[in-house]
């Protein structure tokens, strides 16, 4: 099956393969990328209160192999987070496609690989801590097994100030409005 082949080629491949088939999907991933739960919708993600959120992506321009990250995770002898319950998944999917609800629900979850990735590449810790210290940062995490980190900001001004405070010539940055 195509998903099994994609997983052998790279942990993120099943996600990109699967999400490509559906234009408007909420997708939850777990495991190393093999567990994918999608919820199709014809509705656009919006905010009921017209609130806008802003995303800042930062990558230290150094690579982490996904397999190395999982190996480091095993060395740290950490337990994986428990799987989301049916109710938690339902709450995420049935948030009326409201970004405020999705963000507030997501804050309580973590990326299990973050500690392992920080051990392999300390710049990840530097980036996440710098994001968390910024005014208006609602959430800062590692994306996948690294090395891109993201911060979600309450206002465009908060994002721009954070960008200027954190900016380094030897890192990659990108920012945009979420919806």
């Amino acid at each position: 099956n195509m998903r099994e082949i994609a997983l052998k080629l790279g942990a993120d491949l099943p996600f990109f393969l699967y999400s490509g088939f559906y234009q408007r999907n909420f997708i939850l991933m777990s495991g190393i990328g093999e567990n994918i739960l999608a919820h199709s919708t014809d509705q656009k993600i919006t905010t009921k209160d017209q609130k806008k959120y802003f995303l800042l992506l930062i990558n230290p321009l150094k690579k982490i192999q996904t397999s190395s990250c999982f190996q480091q995770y095993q060395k740290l002898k950490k337990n994986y987070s428990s799987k989301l319950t049916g109710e938690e998944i339902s709450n995420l999917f049935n948030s009326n496609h409201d970004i405020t609800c999705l963000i507030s629900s997501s804050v309580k979850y973590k990326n299990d690989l973050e500690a392992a990735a920080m051990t392999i590449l300390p710049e990840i810790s530097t980036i996440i801590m710098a994001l968390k210290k910024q005014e208006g940062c609602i959430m800062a995490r590692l994306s996948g097994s690294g090395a891109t980190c993201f911060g979600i900001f309450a206002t465009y001004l908060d994002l721009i100030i954070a960008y200027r405070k954190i900016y380094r010539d030897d890192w990659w940055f990108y920012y945009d409005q979420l919806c």
Side-chain angles (χ1 to χ4, degrees), residues 93-120:
F93 284 155
N94 295 320
S95 60
N96 296 318
H97 308 98
D98 179 45
I99 194 71
T100 302
C101 183
L102 287 169
I103 290 170
S104 62
S105 295
S106 298
V107 167
K108 64 183 173 184
Y109 303 110
K110 66 180 180 112
N111 179 343
D112 286 335
L113 297 177
E114 201 167 271
M118 288 176 177
T119 303
I120 295 168

Side-chain angles (χ1 to χ4, degrees), residues 70-83:
F70 275 96
Q71 288 168 4
Q72 182 62 32
Y73 188 85
Q74 295 302 320
K75 287 180 189 174
L76 294 174
K77 297 187 182 208
K78 292 190 170 261
N79 293 324
Y80 289 105
S81 297
S82 58
K83 292 188 182 214

Side-chain angles (χ1 to χ4, degrees), residues 18-120:
Y18 193 57
S19 64
F21 289 123
Y22 304 96
Q23 290 299 313
R24 296 194 179 192
N25 258 1
F26 293 119
I27 298 176
L28 293 176
M29 276 180 56
S30 62
I32 60 169
E34 78 280 13
N35 301 322
I36 299 172
L37 183 60
H39 176 71
S40 296
T41 181
D42 290 331
Q43 293 180 293
K44 188 176 177 185
I45 297 175
T46 60
T47 57
K48 290 179 188 172
D49 57 5
Q50 302 304 311
K51 177 132 179 62
K52 306 225 180 296
Y53 294 93
F54 301 88
L55 177 70
L56 176 59
L57 300 175
I58 305 173
N59 185 296
L61 296 176
K62 295 181 181 175
K63 294 183 179 190
I64 294 180
Q65 294 295 324
T66 300
S67 59
S68 299
C69 197
F70 275 96
Q71 288 168 4
Q72 182 62 32
Y73 188 85
Q74 295 302 320
K75 287 180 189 174
L76 294 174
K77 297 187 182 208
K78 292 190 170 261
N79 293 324
Y80 289 105
S81 297
S82 58
K83 292 188 182 214
L84 295 177
T85 66
E87 182 180 348
E88 289 169 322
I89 292 169
S90 180
N91 288 342
L92 285 171
F93 284 155
N94 295 320
S95 60
N96 296 318
H97 308 98
D98 179 45
I99 194 71
T100 302
C101 183
L102 287 169
I103 290 170
S104 62
S105 295
S106 298
V107 167
K108 64 183 173 184
Y109 303 110
K110 66 180 180 112
N111 179 343
D112 286 335
L113 297 177
E114 201 167 271
M118 288 176 177
T119 303
I120 295 168

